Amino acid sequence: QPTAQFYRVALDNDFPYHAYGAQQDNTTVRTATRTTAGGITDKDWYDVGGGESGWIAPDPRDSEIVYAGSYGNLITRQDHRTGQMRNINPWPDNPMGYGADALKYRFQWSFPIVFSPHDPKVLYAGANVLMKTTNEGQSWEPISGDLTRNDKSKQASSGGPITQDNTSVEYYDTIFTVMESPVAKDLIWVGTDDGLVQVTEDGGNNWRKVEKPAGAHEDAYVQRILASQHDAGTVYAAYENHQNGDFKPYLIKSGDSGKTWVNISGNLPERGGVYAIAEDPVNKNLIFAGTEFGLYFSNIGGEKWIKLNLGLPTIMVRDLVIQKQMDDLVIGTFGRSIYVLDDYTPLRDLKPETLTQDVALFAVKDALLYIETRQFGLRGKAFLGESFFTADNPPYGAQFTYYLKDEIKTRKQQRRDAEKEAEKKKAAIVYPSAAELRAEGEEEAPALLLTIADASGRALRTLTGPVTKGIHRVSWNLREPAAELPGPRPADVDDDLFYEEPSGTLVAPGRYSVSLSKRVDGVVTPLVSAREFTVEAEKGEASEEAARKELFEFQQKVARLERAVLSTLASANELNTRIGKIKEAIDATPAMDRKWADAARALEKKNNEILRALRGDVTLARRNENVPVAIVERVETIVNDEGASLQRPPGSDVQAFAIASQEFAAEREKLRTLVEADLKALEQALDTAGAPWTPGR
């Protein structure tokens, strides 16, 4: 069940990247955020040291080395490759069981551990002072004095005289959040659990205190400090004050290094504090806020907030982190595990005027071309059952995001809307005419079309998307059209692991574009300008241009052969159906010369021989007899082989293609003769004899 409670989330810069977090009443974890297989499984999660309450900091130089904290001033350094882990606590005393006033340093239940964005050897840890190590925790030094209020009256032992509850969740006057500015080295911000913001501009030699900025309560938790990545003077702070019976959001911002502050809580709900902040690295006005009851964003700097709740439950959002390379927003919740908002870039372009347009197509992020593996043999988790956990991967390929101000409605919907409006106005409702009703009944449903073209302008794929109002996202799997149209999906498609929808060949890396149009009454109308994007191949042999070109050209030849073989097989099957009805018609016409019955059976026999060559000897195959390889089988084997690789086609596939092409050419000529000569003569005889109609005649 996705019920984990995460205090903080950290990310690395691997590809695919990993998310890290500490779970209340559980372990810390590192997990993949996507895989090349059928989902994110148990094996993609593992413990990284530390404990249930800690911050986690993967080493920026090597994500296999992870620093993880927990209560009691614990920090571990774990090397996942070797499994070795050692404690590198900033101070040797374990404060569990001590009163906070008896400690040299006070560490919060969830004390911060963060790397410097300027020097990957520098790791900070927050107690009531700020600690620093430059040698992987072998030694630590304080770089500040006490940065809290140090109110001794609030540092007494917790609990009563009989049962005292002294874990570090009860310690007060501690640093709760730390961040060094991404754009200014040695500009470090800290926030405390007793309401202070402190800043140093010289790496800790001198500190400046900020109290009660923008009306924040004097001893509210400073839940999060966020130094802007756009300029050194901009910083955000999130205060949270439920401890004092105050549930209002306090999200504030300074543009002058903390000298003056403004409240940017805007229209955030009055009930529900702010726990997390994130700032877009491209658009400085796009910010996100995690609150007690969900996730919000503003792309006008906080003046107005919009809730992002589609697919996200109403839950406390404790942390927000942006993965810059992927433009993903990773969301740590306290009770519903970790969510990822994949590619949030449309929110960068979303302006108030955008929503007044009839339609908008947002910028398209470049797509990565790779082979999706099947680690369990079949799609998904194959036969491993529901007890085997998997989480969904993000959609494969390119993602297209568009906005419709209004739904594209059918005539019937428009008429009903007009009738409802007339009813509201107490006006007469006119019954539609016969012509109008016919037009409604025969109308083709409106469609929203996304057409993908290559760099030369050749349109190669059209997808359909929802026509309802709002923002929609459609995925393209980077493939050309399949050789055959998809049939009806089985009702139990999720259980039928052997069901595969028809699939075309992967496109070549390069520049592509997508355009948006609508089809109403069969008339296609362009809507907005096309958006360009790039399809990139994964590194390795697939990126060798000559090999990729050879593969692409071979796949195109195979696709042409596959279309021809499948259509010929369908024609041969259809011919047998027609012959069956012809035999019935001959039996129903006693005056007809019996030679035509013999001719029909001879035609059927010849066609069955063609079918055996195309699809195989089904009669013997059902009895597990060895039978020659059929043409369809040979072609589909090549298609499956080439769909599982981005490398040069192997010689065996090239040879199989040559054999299949030669065999198919002969069978196709035989079938053409049967249809154009033998069948035509037979049907003319039926017409002459006045036989009942038959399919195709």
Side-chain angles (χ1 to χ4, degrees), residues 114-118 124 130 132 143 178-190 197-208 225-235 254-259:
V114 294
F115 273 100
S116 166
H118 304 283
Y124 299 106
L130 187 60
K132 172 183 173 181
I143 60 170
V178 174
M179 186 172 183
E180 183 175 5
S181 168
V183 294
K185 189 175 184 296
D186 294 331
L187 174 58
I188 306 170
W189 295 87
V190 304
V197 170
Q198 300 263 18
V199 59
T200 178
E201 298 176 358
D202 54 13
N205 293 320
N206 297 281
W207 291 84
R208 174 165 47 89
I225 287 282
L226 180 69
S228 174
Q229 54 207 305
H230 295 285
D231 64 89
T234 299
V235 62
S254 173
D256 56 8
S257 299
K259 297 179 180 65

Side-chain angles (χ1 to χ4, degrees), residues 569 571-577 579-580 583 600-619 667 670-671 674:
L569 175 61
S571 296
N573 284 324
E574 180 188 5
L575 177 57
N576 257 11
T577 300
I579 294 171
K583 290 192 296 183
R601 287 174 172 81
L603 180 60
E604 185 176 43
K605 183 176 181 181
K606 292 178 183 178
N607 192 49
N608 283 337
E609 291 172 356
I610 295 172
L611 282 170
R612 266 192 293 276
L614 288 173
R615 73 185 180 195
D617 192 330
V618 294
T619 302
E667 299 304 322
K670 293 177 186 177
L671 182 64
L674 293 186

Side-chain angles (χ1 to χ4, degrees), residues 2 50 70-71 81 140 279 360 402 490 498 563 621 630:
S70 188
Y71 53 82
R81 282 179 295 260
W140 295 81
E279 178 194 56
Y402 62 92
F498 296 99
R563 287 195 296 272

